[in-house]
Amino acid sequence: MTAKEFLSRAWQIEKRIDARIDERERLESLLTSPRTAKLTGMPRGGGGDWTNAVIAVSDLNAVIVGEIETLCRIKREVIEAIDAVEDARYKQLLELRYRCYMPWESIAAEMGYTLRNVHELHGKALQRVRVPNRIPCLGVGRSQQRLGSFPRGN
């Protein structure tokens, strides 16, 4: 995996974490929705369907929390790789692009360079990034949607 591919994962991870948080909120809202109580026949003694629903949501919540923790560990590796770059200009450029997700034009304006200079500086900065030997997989497969590519331009 190239340094650029490795660093670009930060944006993908950010989107996956957001998706997992949204998923978790939807699950929790199922339990508190008046419609859910009506559909399950609440209130009712003995638990029954409602208890099973609470257990199922709790189990799914635990899976989602585990996924978020894994994604955060991977994102931390990206952050550490950027922090390990010694040259301040390279580090700033990498942070603006791969942590703040800024478009090239905004990075150029922020740093006071031309767009061409920023692209040249980016190439040099990527050469300074140390990609870990063992990189965890993001788990994007046939059963999961791709989150799209890193934002371009604006």
Side-chain angles (χ1 to χ4, degrees), residues 50-125:
W50 185 249
T51 302
N52 292 339
V54 170
I55 292 169
V57 168
S58 177
D59 290 346
L60 285 172
N61 189 46
V63 169
I64 292 167
V65 168
E67 288 176 358
I68 290 171
E69 289 172 356
T70 299
L71 292 168
C72 287
R73 278 193 302 274
I74 297 169
K75 187 167 181 181
R76 186 174 32 244
E77 289 180 6
V78 171
I79 292 168
E80 289 171 356
I82 292 171
D83 288 344
V85 173
E86 293 181 14
D87 185 286
R89 292 174 310 147
Y90 295 161
K91 185 183 293 193
Q92 180 186 13
L93 186 147
L94 295 171
E95 286 176 344
L96 293 174
R97 183 65 179 166
Y98 298 104
R99 291 188 70 183
C100 300
Y101 317 115
M102 289 176 66
W104 295 116
E105 295 81 5
S106 299
I107 294 171
E110 174 81 19
M111 295 183 72
Y113 292 120
T114 66
L115 192 56
R116 182 177 179 169
N117 291 136
V118 166
H119 286 296
E120 289 174 7
L121 195 64
H122 179 250
K124 292 176 183 177

Side-chain angles (χ1 to χ4, degrees), residues 11-80:
W11 184 78
Q12 296 169 343
I13 291 167
E14 190 86 19
K15 294 299 170 197
R16 290 198 55 185
I17 290 171
D18 289 346
R20 295 302 175 263
I21 290 170
D22 290 346
E23 183 179 2
R24 186 174 178 211
E25 289 172 357
R26 281 191 307 273
L27 285 171
E28 289 174 357
S29 74
L30 284 174
L31 295 178
T32 59
S33 168
R35 185 175 50 181
T36 304
K38 187 176 180 181
L39 290 174
T40 59
M42 287 293 291
R44 182 162 104 193
D49 292 339
W50 185 249
T51 302
N52 292 339
V54 170
I55 292 169
V57 168
S58 177
D59 290 346
L60 285 172
N61 189 46
V63 169
I64 292 167
V65 168
E67 288 176 358
I68 290 171
E69 289 172 356
T70 299
L71 292 168
C72 287
R73 278 193 302 274
I74 297 169
K75 187 167 181 181
R76 186 174 32 244
E77 289 180 6
V78 171
I79 292 168
E80 289 171 356

